[in-house]
Amino acid sequence: MQPRDLTMIRTLSSPTVRPDGNDVVFAVSRPDVEDNRYRSSLWRLDLRDKDATPVRLTRSTYDSSPVYSPGGTHLAFLRGSKDGPPQLHVIPADGGEPRKLTDQPLGVSQPSWSKDGDKIAYVARVPEAGRYGTDKDIKPDAEAPRLIEHSAYLSDGLGYVLDRPAKLWVVDVSMLPSDDDASADELPASLQLTTGNGDDDQPRFIDGGRRVAFISARNARGTWRPDTLVSDVCSVDLRGKSFRRHTDGTSSVGSMDVTSSGDIVYGAGDLGPSKQDFVARNPVLRRLDRATPLTDAETDHLACAPALLADDTVIAAFEHRGDTVVRSLPGDTVLLEGNVSVSALAAAADVVVAVADTRASYSELFVGPVTGPLTQRTDFGRHLTGTAAPIQPEELDTTAADGYPVHGWLFRPSSTPRRKAGHPVVLMIHGGPYTQYSGNLFDEAQVLAGAGYAVVMGNPRGGSGYGATHGRVLKDAVGTVDVADLTALLDHALAAPDLDEDRVGVQGGSYGGLMTTWLVGHSDRFTAAISERAVNAWDSFAGTSDIGWFFGEEYSGAYQVEQSPLTWADNITTPTMIIHSERDFRCPLEQGQRLFARLKRNNVPTRLLVFPGEGHELSRAGQPRHRVARFEHILDWWSEHLGS
């Protein structure tokens, strides 16, 4: 794979099944490097015809987040523009002209229909007067100063949040005029349901459409609670009054949906006595007001939000050894397993749809009955031809020095090594750390392997997909058992005769960047390194990161000095490239700048590559041109230090 091959990647998202189960609508996006944007449109797949192929439903290139109305007659979706944020639109399900319903200054997200199909709830951020373009005479650098009183005032990918809280709105679509009516171009009035400080998310109609449930950090009286990881299922009536909190104010509710019979199903993670201990605490799915949980906190790590069926069956996807298993609950019937990484689920009638990566594609639809199995029904991977054709991984299993099992993959170049000693090697380390790498398609591994580098990657202790205990063991232990596992995995791979043990690089982002800096500060075995968007020092992370006010305390606690890579930076002699983004509020730019300054002072070969306008998600969702440029710089660095 070449950097320019990013344009061949198709990503599917937001599947919505027509209530009768006859078809599914979903969004398809792709990077456009020439225009430096992502093109996204809605597609439909007929589920009645097993030989059907997807057809494009909308011609715009800024469409996303489709949701079928309960009667299946209309689709709500979001449409943006080159210069404007996404707004709510609705279109007849069988075709027609979309009608715009909103004109919120900062855009709209999370549309949700009422049970009778007369109303749509959505989320829109409400900007403080005089900010974010609400007054055209006030430029951003001339806005009033911000008086900040809380720790959680930033969000990566967004920026300041306290002066633009996310609030719930409802728009009535039952009385929209016909297309030939003179008032057809007028926007219907939206009613703001929630006000005040703090974010309100994931609106869902309950009580027969008389109330709207949502997730928020509020106390029992409805007052916003700042600087807490605790969140609850709450609700208000259609006037925005009669607030209720439905959960007990002790956990972190991350997902919530409502069955056709009105039951609320939600996922909540235990936060321990401190109410901030999130480390490897898997959210447990529950039905409101029922004691028996649907999932197990030790073994079940949700890969995405679950889907609900009319008979109250819950469809959920769980991470497992780098892959995903889809099960129906209760009963634990397996609907999909194997080499798939599920990112979205949808269900209606007796049909279940999953969006998943595979060994051969970055995104496909899998479809089947609620009894299973789900089978692949699309072929967007057909675009991956020529240099973009997938390189298949080899699975690795070994043990660390203490006998702990270690699992990962080797992506071996398809070309013949240019040197007798074999291919140069790059050890790649994932972020999180409570997440997982997969052997399924991953552009980072494909580009490096395509350039002639053998890529070793796996899931050391601290990661997800192997049980909560596997992840939780890293609490207060960064730089210990994770290092042991990564070292064992690399040594195991280097036993292969066609890999060059004298040309080994290490690369990672976020927590993977932390581990990269840590490894070269504690070993000289690596020829070169790339530390990207890293946490290098817990002290300044606590004052600059959007999650710094709790994250380091829970992962390293009293050991934050010892477990900061910058503490050991004077030991680094390995040439190290540092990649960061100007608007990274998760692992802020100063984390990279401090490391760069130390390496320059010590005359260690180093470069600092800084991307303007990008956040923490540069490598996954940054501007297409920046993503290509990033790959080109990475390949140049490895070519200089490892050969090619």
Side-chain angles (χ1 to χ4, degrees):
M1 188 177 181
Q2 305 296 308
R4 64 177 181 272
D5 292 333
L6 283 174
T7 59
M8 297 187 183
I9 295 176
R10 303 295 186 271
T11 303
L12 281 54
S13 63
S14 305
T16 178
V17 181
R18 196 188 289 243
D20 60 12
N22 284 342
D23 64 62
V24 58
V25 173
F26 53 99
V28 180
S29 66
R30 66 175 178 87
D32 184 333
V33 175
E34 184 175 342
D35 285 349
N36 199 31
R37 63 187 181 94
Y38 292 88
R39 297 181 176 272
S40 178
S41 56
L42 305 186
W43 291 63
R44 172 182 283 141
L45 176 64
D46 188 339
L47 300 180
R48 297 165 297 182
D49 181 357
K50 294 186 181 298
D51 297 320
T53 57
V55 295
R56 188 168 174 177
L57 182 61
T58 61
R59 307 312 299 179
S60 174
T61 56
Y62 293 95
D63 294 345
S64 63
S65 305
V67 185
Y68 261 118
S69 65
T73 59
H74 288 78
L75 277 165
F77 68 99
L78 304 182
R79 171 169 287 180
S81 67
K82 196 168 187 177
D83 301 314
Q87 301 293 344
L88 181 63
H89 289 67
V90 67
I91 187 175
D94 294 322
E97 284 298 314
R99 174 165 289 168
K100 184 178 178 181
L101 301 181
T102 63
D103 192 20
Q104 296 285 358
L106 300 183
V108 167
S109 65
Q110 305 176 43
S112 179
W113 289 87
S114 63
K115 189 174 181 179
D116 58 11
D118 286 348
K119 298 177 179 64
I120 302 174
Y122 62 88
V123 173
R125 290 195 171 274
V126 181
E128 185 179 295
R131 299 194 189 278
Y132 306 109
T134 54
D135 187 334
K136 295 183 179 179
D137 293 330
I138 301 178
K139 296 181 180 179
D141 58 1
E143 291 179 359
R146 290 178 172 87
L147 181 62
I148 296 170
E149 300 178 279
H150 305 296
S151 297
Y153 64 90
L154 279 176
S155 179
D156 184 66
L158 187 63
Y160 294 105
V161 292
L162 297 182
D163 52 14
R164 45 176 163 177
K167 295 300 164 187
L168 307 187
W169 301 70
V170 168
V171 58
D172 192 327
V173 295
S174 62
M175 302 297 290
L176 291 178
S178 61
D179 290 339
D180 55 1
D181 192 297
S183 62
D185 292 335
E186 296 180 7
L187 298 181
S190 287
L191 173 66
Q192 185 176 344
L193 292 186
T194 58
T195 59
N197 297 320
D199 288 348
D200 304 321
D201 289 302
Q202 300 186 39
R204 297 291 187 273
F205 286 89
I206 61 172
D207 288 357
R210 294 183 294 273
R211 300 181 65 82
V212 176
F214 58 98
I215 297 174
S216 188
R218 296 173 181 257
N219 65 21
R221 300 180 63 183
T223 303
W224 173 58
R225 296 183 297 181
D227 300 338
T228 180
L229 301 185
V230 174
S231 55
D232 287 279
V233 177
C234 307
S235 72
V236 292
D237 64 22
L238 296 186
R239 302 168 301 159
K241 300 183 181 301
S242 182
F243 173 86
R244 296 177 193 167
R245 194 180 72 180
H246 298 270
T247 47
D248 63 8
T250 63
S251 303
S252 176
V253 176
S255 64
M256 182 264 297
D257 211 339
V258 181
T259 68
S260 58
S261 62
D263 283 349
I264 294 175
V265 176
Y266 66 99
D270 176 27
L271 294 169
S274 71
K275 294 295 180 285
Q276 289 189 347
D277 184 2
F278 66 96
V279 178
R281 289 183 179 269
N282 290 330
V284 174
L285 286 180
R286 299 178 181 275
R287 295 184 190 275
L288 192 66
D289 300 327
R290 299 191 194 179
T292 304
L294 294 169
T295 59
D296 181 79
E298 169 59 34
T299 58
D300 297 330
H301 183 209
L302 291 168
C304 61
L308 310 181
L309 281 164
D311 64 355
D312 290 351
T313 299
V314 177
I315 308 299
F318 303 98
E319 293 184 356
H320 179 67
R321 288 178 56 83
D323 290 311
T324 309
V325 176
V326 177
R327 308 195 320 253
S328 64
L329 307 171
D332 285 335
T333 299
V334 174
L335 308 184
L336 179 64
E337 59 184 342
N339 298 141
V340 291
S341 298
V342 175
S343 58
L345 292 168
D350 64 347
V351 175
V352 177
V353 174
V355 174
D357 306 355
T358 70
R359 292 286 201 264
S361 178
Y362 290 95
S363 228
E364 301 291 352
L365 284 187
F366 288 77
V367 180
V370 67
T371 55
L374 308 186
T375 57
Q376 186 174 329
R377 287 290 307 275
T378 58
D379 185 23
F380 287 92
R382 68 184 182 277
H383 299 285
L384 303 175
T385 59
T387 54
I391 293 174
Q392 297 300 313
E394 303 166 36
E395 197 157 0
L396 302 176
D397 283 289
T398 188
T399 56
D402 61 359
Y404 194 84
V406 185
H407 178 229
W409 298 268
L410 168 65
F411 288 83
R412 193 189 304 265
S414 55
S415 57
T416 302
R418 294 190 176 186
R419 299 187 189 180
K420 185 176 181 180
H423 297 290
V425 179
V426 174
L427 172 65
M428 188 174 291
I429 309 172
H430 68 59
Y434 196 57
T435 185
Q436 65 172 10
Y437 265 154
S438 169
N440 297 321
L441 271 193
F442 178 39
D443 59 347
E444 303 273 340
Q446 294 292 320
V447 166
L448 290 182
Y453 305 102
V455 179
V456 179
M457 48 188 273
N459 296 317
R461 276 170 279 188
S464 59
Y466 303 78
T469 300
H470 176 90
R472 198 161 172 78
V473 72
L474 201 59
K475 185 175 170 67
D476 295 333
V478 171
T480 61
V481 293
D482 44 358
V483 172
D485 291 358
L486 290 166
T487 300
L489 190 68
L490 178 60
D491 289 342
H492 179 66
L494 289 175
D498 60 342
L499 302 190
D500 188 348
E501 63 180 358
D502 293 324
R503 290 188 296 156
V504 180
V506 58
Q507 171 181 338
S510 197
Y511 162 78
L514 179 156
M515 286 309 302
T516 296
T517 313
W518 180 275
L519 287 171
V520 295
H522 289 78
S523 170
D524 60 0
R525 73 175 298 177
F526 296 100
T527 309
I530 298 177
S531 178
E532 184 172 12
R533 59 183 187 277
V535 180
N536 288 314
W538 290 119
D539 58 352
S540 57
F541 185 80
T544 57
S545 167
D546 62 348
I547 60 174
W549 57 280
F550 65 89
F551 194 91
E553 186 70 26
E554 292 301 332
Y555 258 107
S556 291
Y559 306 99
Q560 292 183 53
V561 173
E562 295 92 333
Q563 294 179 9
S564 290
L566 199 66
T567 299
W568 312 98
D570 287 340
N571 297 336
I572 298 175
T573 59
T574 304
T576 301
M577 183 179 187
I578 302 161
I579 302 177
H580 234 106
S581 297
E582 287 183 349
R583 289 182 56 79
D584 188 339
F585 300 128
R586 182 61 40 83
C587 298
L589 177 60
E590 59 87 21
Q591 293 281 313
Q593 291 171 319
R594 293 181 68 185
L595 176 61
F596 178 69
R598 187 73 64 86
L599 296 182
K600 290 294 289 184
R601 187 190 73 181
N602 294 341
N603 295 314
V604 177
T606 184
R607 294 173 191 162
L608 174 62
L609 178 65
V610 180
F611 285 87
E614 299 288 2
H616 198 64
E617 297 300 307
L618 162 65
S619 65
R620 295 175 282 262
Q623 298 174 50
R625 288 179 190 167
H626 281 167
R627 290 179 65 186
V628 170
R630 171 183 170 275
F631 271 139
E632 290 172 343
H633 279 281
I634 287 172
L635 293 180
D636 285 347
W637 179 261
W638 289 136
S639 178
E640 177 180 342
H641 292 280
L642 299 182
S644 62

